[in-house]
């Protein structure tokens, strides 16, 4: 029996590993996922459990190894087999033309091509594979030796832990580790909630993350990778697999085939005209790329020619970086003002001497919070460096102390709200100060702006200036008034800035927003600490606003991924009379306060609150379908049998889980029993 179970487990493990790897590749590399999160999590859990029960089946390159909890004590030193060099920089096209001239001089009559790549603003990483398995990942360090960050790199799901290709056994891949701009903003938001330490940019966030000693924490940070270098020590020279040894472009193509993420922007060009076109095209889309770049890299394609060109000191003569214009400027802070956000957060803002930076004139920059202000010791009349990265709001990165005027004093934290003069409060575990007055005009305006924005109610045409105008005209005081604007059609048309058509467009957009799904409506309500993702989780779990209104703080807190701070804030919000009234009115106006029918949990008392484990092969249901039925009826599906398990749904050839369930006295269901429960 035991033997049969082991072989069954072996088959299952290899099947799961294959499926998970395939899913990872589709999700993280191709960005075309083909299974849902639940199915993925279930496969992962099942694999974890199997590996726990049968430790011999756990391979070094198992997908579960990506979140190993083993802390990396200190980083070991890794010596690079081939030094990791840097690129010489250029800042104008003329410099590039000179680079091209030098190449022409050395290559003489030979024809050559360039590969144009993005210069990712992350950190370089060298990853080595032996016998097809990822064995080491190291930072660039000083170019000769770097830090061994293997455990951390293994958490990046787009990087294969093993490669099944007999021609690629022992090889090295190099590329850039980075964090997407959006994720960087999210991480900073989370940081702000936690301890106020804020990263200056996505690059620093990635660099900081790579040096975290706890891989589990690293796994929760969305690191990305683009490969741009391949050095293969294996494979026979005569096989057809040697293209990657002849040119850079061919090795990029090979990297892609091996399953590594490579940039789709990489382009082979024939001459400097092609290079120029690439640079201009990328500059146009630069800000809309999901990640930061600071330029492009131009490389000679042929390896033979690269060898011929060689190196000067620490940079290759066959490649050059072209850097886009700096996104930094120095300017003076004329004043520090205070902004009051929609939940009352007081944010210090630097009012700057206007400067032109990366395509626009900047006259304000956020200073985040008073902790930051104090840490950087930013004062009025200071000369400071400001920076803008991609679509990130400009920020003050440092003070030029030598230019600080005599007699300057640190900025004082205000005692009262600058708009309504109410008291300020500061929750002990937070860095923010809040205006306590819900009816503070600044909060009202902030809430309305939040409510209509794209990710919330998505009311096109109702922007900041219109909201200002409508507040001034006293047309709107709260969310509900927006839906009554249709009764003011004639008044609106008579306003200077409106014609009949634009009023109707606006009214249409308002009506149309009533189709927004419940989770967006929940997010739009602007509850403190409830961002888009949290709103989604709460909407899915509770199904309707009525369930949320009647939920206790403990109930909210017990939802997976919902912490005490969110629970407290949500509970407080849904128990305030004023909010309840507004929700009632919005309901009447026709907004969605329930999740869609097909997403609904149809509570079935046989399932609600019960934990199920599935095992063996089921005849009538696919595992994911059975799981869905359970979850939609209010039950939970777990990967392993424990005392907390209520039911084990056992199909044919059930193994260790069935044994365990029997010893623990867990109720065992056949498929027929399961159907009866439904
Ligand atoms: S090639 C000798 N390609 O730039 C070749 N580097 O200054 C060196 N980088 O340490 C690497 N994007 O961190 C190369 N497409 C790209 C790159 C790139 C960003 C970074 C990398 C490297 C630094 C060199």
């Amino acid at each position: 029996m035991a033997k049969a179970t082991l072989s069954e487990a072996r088959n299952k493990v290899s099947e799961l590993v294959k499926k998970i790897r395939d899913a990872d590749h589709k999700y993280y590399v191709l960005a075309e996922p083909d299974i849902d999160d639940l199915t993925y999590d279930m496969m992962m859990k099942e694999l974890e459990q199997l590996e726990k029960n049968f430790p011999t089946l756990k391979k070094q390159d198992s997908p579960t190894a990506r979140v190993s909890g083993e802390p990396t004590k200190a980083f070991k030193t890794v010596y690079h087999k081939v030094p990791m060099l840097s690129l010489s920089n250029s800042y104008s096209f003329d410099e590039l033309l000179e680079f091209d001239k030098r190449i022409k001089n050395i290559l003489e009559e030979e024809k050559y091509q360039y590969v144009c790549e993005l210069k990712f603003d992350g950190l370089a990483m060298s990853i080595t594979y032996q016998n097809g398995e990822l064995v080491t990942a190291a930072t660039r360090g000083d170019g000769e030796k770097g830090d061994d960050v293997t455990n951390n790199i293994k958490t990046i799901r787009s990087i294969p832990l093993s490669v099944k290709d007999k021609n690629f056994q022992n090889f090295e891949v190099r590329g850039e580790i980075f964090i997407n701009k959006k994720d960087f903003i999210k991480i900073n938001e989370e940081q702000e909630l936690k301890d106020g330490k804020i990263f200056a940019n996505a690059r620093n966030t990635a660099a900081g993350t790579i040096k975290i000693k706890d891989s589990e924490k690293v796994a929760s940070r969305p690191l990305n990778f683009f490969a741009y270098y391949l050095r293969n020590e294996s494979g026979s020279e005569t096989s057809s697999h040697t293209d990657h040894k002849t040119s850079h472009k061919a090795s990029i193509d090979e990297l892609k085939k091996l399953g590594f993420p490579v940039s789709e922007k990489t382009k082979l060009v024939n001459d400097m005209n092609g290079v120029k076109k690439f640079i201009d095209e990328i500059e146009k889309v630069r800000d809309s790329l999901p990640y930061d770049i600071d330029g492009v890299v131009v490389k000679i394609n042929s390896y033979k020619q690269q060898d011929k060109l060689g190196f000067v000191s620490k940079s290759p003569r066959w490649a050059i970086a072209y850097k886009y214009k700096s996104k930094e400027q120095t300017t003076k802070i004329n004043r520090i003002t205070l902004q009051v956000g929609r939940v009352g957060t007081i944010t210090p803002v630097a009012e700057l001497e206007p400067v032109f930076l990366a395509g626009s004139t900047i006259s304000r920059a956020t200073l985040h919070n008073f902790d930051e202000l104090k840490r950087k010791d930013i004062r009025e009349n200071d000369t400071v460096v400001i920076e803008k990265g991609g679509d990130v709001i400009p920020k003050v990165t440092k003070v030029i102390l030598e230019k600080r005027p005599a007699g300057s004093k640190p900025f004082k934290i205000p005692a009262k709200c600058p708009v309504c003069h109410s008291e300020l409060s500061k929750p002990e575990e937070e860095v923010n100060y809040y205006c306590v007055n819900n009816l503070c005009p600044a909060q009202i305006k902030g809430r309305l702006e939040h409510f209509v924005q794209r990710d919330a109610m998505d009311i096109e045409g109702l922007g900041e200036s219109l909201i200002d105008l409508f507040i001034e005209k006293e047309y709107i005081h709260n969310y509900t008034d927006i839906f009554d604007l249709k009764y003011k059609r004639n008044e609106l048309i008579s306003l200077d800035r409106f014609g009949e058509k634009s009023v109707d467009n606006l009214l249409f957009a308002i009506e149309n927003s009533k189709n927004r799904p419940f989770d967006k409506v929940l997010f739009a309500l602007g509850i403190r600490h409830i961002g888009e993702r949290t709103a989604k989780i709460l909407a899915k779990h509770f199904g309707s606003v009525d369930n949320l209104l009647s939920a206790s703080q403990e109930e909210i807190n017990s939802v997976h991924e919902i912490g005490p701070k969110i629970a407290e804030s949500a509970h407080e919000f849904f128990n305030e009379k004023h909010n309840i009234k507004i929700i009632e009115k919005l309901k009447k106006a026709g907004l969605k306060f329930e999740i869609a029918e097909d997403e609904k949990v149809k509570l079935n008392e046989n399932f609600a609150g019960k934990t199920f484990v599935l095992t063996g092969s089921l005849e009538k249901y696919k595992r994911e379908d059975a799981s869905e039925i359970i979850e939609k009826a209010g039950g939970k599906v777990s990967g392993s049998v424990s005392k907390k398990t209520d039911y084990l749904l056992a199909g044919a050839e059930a193994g260790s889980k069935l044994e365990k369930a029997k010893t623990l006295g867990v109720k065992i269901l056949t498929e027929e029993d399961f159907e009866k429960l439904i």
Side-chain angles (χ1 to χ4, degrees):
M1 176 73 192
K3 220 176 177 182
T5 317
L6 178 66
S7 83
E8 181 193 286
R10 181 173 294 122
N11 290 341
K12 190 76 204 165
V13 164
S14 87
E15 180 197 323
L16 284 168
V17 167
K18 214 166 140 234
K19 278 193 185 154
I20 293 171
R21 259 192 212 136
D22 183 55
D24 277 345
H25 186 72
K26 288 199 173 107
Y27 186 96
Y28 293 100
V29 181
L30 307 177
E32 281 168 1
D34 66 346
I35 59 167
D36 60 277
D37 294 357
L38 177 67
T39 315
Y40 183 89
D41 290 346
M42 297 253 317
M43 293 199 299
M44 212 50 176
K45 273 201 197 123
E46 197 178 355
L47 180 60
E48 255 168 40
Q49 194 57 40
L50 281 168
E51 289 175 343
K52 212 157 135 205
N53 294 346
F54 303 91
T56 51
L57 296 181
K58 178 161 178 157
K59 298 237 181 72
Q60 219 188 335
D61 67 346
S62 165
T64 58
R66 292 196 189 273
V67 278
S68 85
E70 289 163 48
T72 322
K73 283 189 197 73
F75 296 114
K76 276 190 280 171
T77 300
V78 176
Y79 285 83
H80 301 303
K81 258 196 170 170
V82 176
M84 288 181 85
L85 302 171
S86 59
L87 294 161
S88 52
N89 288 325
S90 65
Y91 298 89
S92 68
F93 191 66
D94 281 348
E95 284 177 77
L96 281 185
L97 289 175
E98 274 167 34
F99 159 79
D100 182 55
K101 221 194 239 162
R102 288 194 294 274
I103 287 186
K104 220 171 242 142
N105 276 339
I106 299 175
L107 296 183
E108 296 176 324
E109 297 296 292
E110 281 178 46
K111 272 201 170 153
Y112 55 89
Q113 284 179 305
Y114 288 117
V115 177
C116 297
E117 282 175 3
L118 303 184
K119 188 166 194 306
F120 311 104
D121 200 7
L123 52 150
M125 193 62 54
S126 152
I127 309 171
T128 38
Y129 289 77
Q130 260 165 35
N131 302 320
E133 312 251 325
L134 190 163
V135 287
T136 327
T139 61
R140 177 170 163 226
D142 61 5
E144 302 283 334
K145 55 186 191 305
D147 284 333
D148 182 335
V149 289
T150 314
N151 283 344
N152 288 351
I153 291 305
K154 279 185 174 175
T155 67
I156 305 177
R157 286 166 194 278
S158 58
I159 300 178
L161 294 177
S162 64
V163 164
K164 307 261 177 287
D165 186 322
K166 63 180 187 327
N167 293 298
F168 291 89
Q169 290 293 303
N170 305 324
F171 61 97
E172 180 190 357
V173 173
R174 289 181 186 174
E176 203 82 351
I177 299 285
F178 62 95
I179 282 182
N180 279 340
K181 293 191 265 199
K182 262 201 177 156
D183 293 324
F184 153 66
I185 293 172
K186 262 195 209 135
I187 291 172
N188 256 357
E189 279 169 3
E190 281 161 19
Q191 289 290 106
E192 201 162 346
L193 273 184
K194 264 188 269 167
D195 56 6
K197 232 176 269 143
I198 284 165
F199 291 108
N201 50 45
R203 203 204 95 86
N204 288 6
T205 317
T209 303
I210 278 300
K211 293 286 169 79
I212 295 178
K213 303 252 161 78
D214 176 354
S215 314
E216 214 159 341
K217 226 186 233 149
V218 178
S220 74
R221 293 260 180 96
L223 291 170
N224 290 301
F225 180 70
F226 271 138
Y228 50 63
Y229 172 94
L230 170 65
R231 188 177 56 81
N232 190 13
E233 291 174 356
S234 41
S236 79
E237 294 297 327
T238 50
S239 81
S240 60
H241 276 268
T242 53
D243 277 359
H244 65 281
K245 293 194 169 174
T246 67
S247 79
H248 181 59
K249 185 68 173 57
S251 60
I252 299 281
D253 294 341
E254 192 66 58
L255 281 165
K256 188 174 173 179
K257 266 194 242 154
L258 291 172
F260 290 90
V262 297
S263 167
E264 292 297 327
K265 300 267 182 243
T266 299
K267 201 170 170 187
L268 187 63
V269 302
N270 291 323
D271 53 27
M272 290 314 280
N273 286 333
V275 171
K276 176 93 177 65
K277 218 172 133 209
F278 184 82
I279 289 175
D280 292 344
E281 273 167 13
I282 296 300
E283 185 157 29
K284 270 191 224 134
V285 297
R286 179 182 182 192
D287 282 355
S288 58
L289 291 173
Y291 39 78
D292 285 328
I293 59 164
D294 56 351
V296 305
V297 185
V298 182
K299 299 173 179 171
I300 280 284
N301 187 34
S302 145
Y303 283 157
K304 225 188 198 159
Q305 290 174 335
Q306 285 189 3
D307 288 343
K308 203 165 173 182
L309 289 157
F311 298 85
V312 250
S313 73
K314 289 212 156 182
S315 317
R317 216 183 257 121
W318 45 262
I320 192 163
Y322 171 87
K323 296 261 207 142
Y324 288 118
K325 296 254 154 29
S326 151
K327 291 208 161 190
E328 254 185 19
Q329 266 285 12
T330 356
T331 186
K332 206 185 108 198
I333 298 183
N334 289 329
R335 247 158 35 92
I336 293 174
T337 55
L338 302 168
Q339 207 172 39
V340 186
R342 65 186 162 87
V343 292
T345 327
I346 311 287
T347 308
V349 177
E351 306 291 340
L352 307 164
E353 194 55 41
V355 276
F356 194 74
L357 175 62
S360 62
T361 302
I362 311 290
S363 53
R364 308 182 86 205
T366 172
L367 299 170
H368 296 291
N369 57 54
F370 296 107
D371 263 25
E372 271 284 293
L373 196 78
K374 204 165 143 199
R375 201 167 58 76
K376 291 188 184 152
D377 189 20
I378 298 170
R379 306 179 183 186
E380 289 187 327
N381 296 313
D382 269 347
T383 300
V384 293
V385 177
I386 61 165
E387 191 183 278
K388 196 171 131 188
D391 48 11
V392 184
I393 316 149
K395 59 191 160 219
V396 175
T397 51
K398 73 168 186 252
V399 176
I400 304 179
L401 285 175
E402 302 83 67
K403 295 202 175 164
R404 176 169 283 170
S408 118
K409 288 203 181 73
F411 187 78
K412 264 214 199 106
I413 298 176
K416 299 212 150 118
C417 170
V419 177
C420 72
H421 310 291
S422 304
E423 297 295 318
L424 299 187
S425 79
K426 183 187 172 294
E428 209 171 302
E429 69 289 3
E430 286 188 39
V431 292
N432 286 323
Y433 285 76
Y434 295 93
C435 160
V436 295
N437 174 18
N438 243 336
L439 300 174
C440 170
Q443 287 195 40
I444 293 178
K445 188 175 160 237
R447 282 199 293 266
L448 288 168
E449 277 170 21
H450 170 81
F451 187 79
V452 301
Q453 64 159 309
R454 176 119 61 91
D455 299 328
M457 295 306 288
D458 191 19
I459 303 180
E460 218 186 301
L462 191 49
E464 202 179 328
S465 64
L466 255 198
I467 287 178
D468 277 350
L469 179 72
F470 290 170
I471 290 179
E472 190 197 308
K473 295 260 174 211
E474 299 196 353
Y475 291 167
I476 53 176
H477 308 87
N478 59 43
Y479 309 143
T480 58
D481 298 332
I482 295 175
F483 300 95
D484 289 339
L485 280 171
K486 61 184 172 200
Y487 305 118
K488 293 200 163 60
R489 183 171 176 272
N490 290 336
E491 264 172 88
L492 292 178
I493 291 172
S494 70
L495 291 176
D496 272 356
R497 55 180 287 176
F498 270 134
E500 205 170 317
K501 181 108 195 275
S502 50
V503 167
D504 286 339
N505 283 344
L506 177 66
L507 294 177
F508 176 76
I510 291 171
E511 282 309 297
N512 205 24
S513 77
K514 292 179 182 170
N515 294 320
R516 296 290 278 166
F518 174 43
D519 64 296
K520 300 289 179 196
V521 177
L522 194 55
F523 171 60
L525 292 178
I527 307 164
R528 190 189 291 184
H529 301 324
I530 299 194
E532 266 181 276
R533 220 175 93 75
T534 311
K536 228 183 215 146
I537 294 169
L538 289 175
K540 195 164 176 199
H541 184 93
F542 288 96
S544 73
V545 81
D546 291 338
N547 290 338
L548 265 167
L549 281 163
S550 59
S552 70
Q553 191 167 324
E554 292 70 53
E555 266 174 82
I556 304 177
N557 200 3
S558 70
V559 178
H560 185 55
E561 287 192 82
I562 300 293
K565 225 185 273 179
I566 296 171
E568 190 189 334
S569 158
H571 186 253
E572 204 180 288
F573 184 91
F574 289 114
N575 278 282
E576 210 174 280
K577 270 197 199 124
H578 175 72
N579 295 332
I580 299 174
K581 231 193 232 158
I582 288 195
I583 290 172
E584 284 311 319
K585 279 194 188 157
L586 291 176
K587 247 193 210 170
K588 269 200 200 116
L591 273 66
K592 293 212 157 85
F593 279 102
E594 268 185 26
I595 55 174
E597 204 56 39
D598 56 353
E599 283 182 77
K600 239 182 230 167
V601 174
K602 293 216 180 57
L603 282 192
N604 172 331
E605 59 184 50
N606 293 329
F607 288 78
K610 300 270 168 30
T611 302
F612 287 73
V613 174
L614 315 180
T615 188
S617 56
L618 302 176
E619 255 174 43
K620 296 188 188 157
Y621 301 93
K622 274 202 238 155
R623 282 246 173 138
E624 50 264 42
D625 295 340
S627 303
E628 207 178 314
I629 292 172
I630 294 167
E631 296 202 330
K632 280 200 173 150
K636 255 198 341 212
V637 179
S638 162
S640 56
V641 177
S642 74
K643 269 185 278 175
K644 288 191 195 143
T645 312
D646 294 293
Y647 295 109
L648 178 79
L649 172 57
E653 291 167 52
S656 64
K657 279 185 198 166
L658 183 59
E659 300 300 320
K660 191 159 177 199
K662 277 183 187 158
T663 28
L664 289 176
V666 170
K667 250 198 197 139
I668 294 155
L669 304 176
T670 60
E671 282 186 75
E672 288 73 47
D673 299 334
F674 182 64
E675 281 182 335
K676 272 183 213 148
L677 277 189
I678 303 173

